[in-house]
Amino acid sequence: MSVAIIDYGSGNLHSAAKAFERAARAMENPEKVVVTRDPDVVFRADRVVLPGVGAFADCRKGLDSLNGMVDAMTEVVRDKARPFFGICVGMQLMATQGKEYVTTPGLNWIAGDVEKISPREENLKIPHMGWNTLNLLREHPVLERLPLGDKGRHAYFVHSYHLNATNEADVVARADYGGPLTAIVAKDTAIGTQFHPEKSQRFGLALISNFLKWKP
């Protein structure tokens, strides 16, 4: 069993890989975590992770620069129905399109646009950086037994844009930052978090562990 973390020049790769490796070691049957730029490795993987830091258009350009990677991801996730985890901009790339500076096509796995957040309170700065609790909209196996809600665990966010999903059913959880922010989306065998689980301490490791055990 293997987990492919895609290196396309736009990820918080080192800390993401370390977090997935740590969670994998704690499993009864540890899965091998591989950081790769090879679409063939992704095609053979049992799980796929797409991290992402930076601007939407730059991340999409980096992904497209790996010849065959988008096709490999799409076949593995959409056709073979293997679990996928998008992190931050990796989650945003699941959208129909991004509207950060320029309009850029996304993977269109989750209908909706990536739009700039606009907190109601003027004193709230953009980018949104810091710790927030998560408000659950619907149950999901990757969130099983995790303490959510106002008195739950906090997740670490750093972003100026979020995925405004067309279908409410695709949104699993939101955070509040002077208004609702999309925190987690999921559809079929794909899930994405706007926050960084690899930087979210125990909560993030527990979420990654749930993902590694998830059998959709």
Side-chain angles (χ1 to χ4, degrees):
M1 302 289 282
S2 65
V3 182
I5 301 180
I6 299 174
D7 174 10
Y8 60 112
S10 301
N12 185 29
L13 215 57
H14 180 74
S15 56
K18 291 297 182 187
F20 276 84
E21 288 166 359
R22 182 176 174 185
R25 283 197 301 270
M27 296 175 65
E28 188 173 331
N29 297 301
E31 295 189 358
K32 183 180 180 181
V33 178
V34 179
V35 176
T36 184
R37 299 172 63 86
D38 186 343
D40 290 335
V41 172
V42 171
F43 184 77
R44 295 192 301 268
D46 299 290
R47 300 174 192 275
V48 176
V49 180
L50 185 69
V53 174
F56 187 101
D58 291 342
C59 288
R60 180 64 207 241
K61 184 178 179 181
L63 194 58
D64 288 339
S65 72
L66 301 180
N67 190 33
M69 183 60 79
V70 171
D71 289 341
M73 286 170 50
T74 301
E75 185 157 354
V76 166
V77 179
R78 308 292 281 176
D79 298 337
K80 294 189 174 185
R82 291 178 182 167
F84 171 91
F85 195 153
I87 298 172
C88 196
V89 183
M91 171 265 225
Q92 293 179 3
L93 286 168
M94 296 164 69
T96 304
Q97 60 185 7
K99 295 183 175 179
E100 187 172 358
Y101 307 119
V102 295
T103 299
T104 306
L107 298 169
N108 200 28
W109 294 355
I110 300 281
D113 296 343
V114 175
E115 301 172 344
K116 191 165 188 176
I117 60 177
S118 52
R120 288 189 294 266
E121 289 89 349
E122 292 182 4
N123 63 316
L124 294 177
K125 296 179 180 179
I126 297 176
H128 165 221
M129 296 178 64
W131 298 85
N132 285 76
T133 55
L134 306 175
N135 302 313
L136 189 67
L137 274 68
R138 65 178 176 91
E139 301 291 334
H140 193 282
V142 174
L143 298 175
E144 189 175 353
R145 294 189 297 275
L146 297 184
L148 304 177
D150 292 341
K151 296 182 180 180
R153 292 281 178 86
H154 290 69
Y156 183 76
F157 290 78
V158 52
H159 65 118
S160 301
Y161 291 76
H162 77 135
L163 201 169
N164 185 10
T166 301
N167 302 316
E168 184 76 1
D170 293 336
V171 182
V172 174
R174 289 195 174 101
D176 185 86
Y177 188 68
L181 296 177
T182 301
I184 305 175
V185 295
K187 186 174 183 179
D188 303 325
T189 64
I191 188 166
T193 63
Q194 181 60 65
F195 58 88
H196 288 271
E198 77 279 8
K199 296 182 179 180
S200 298
Q201 301 177 350
R202 282 172 142 191
F203 171 76
L205 279 175
L207 188 147
I208 291 170
S209 179
N210 280 351
F211 171 74
L212 294 177
K213 296 171 185 174
W214 182 31
K215 297 179 180 178

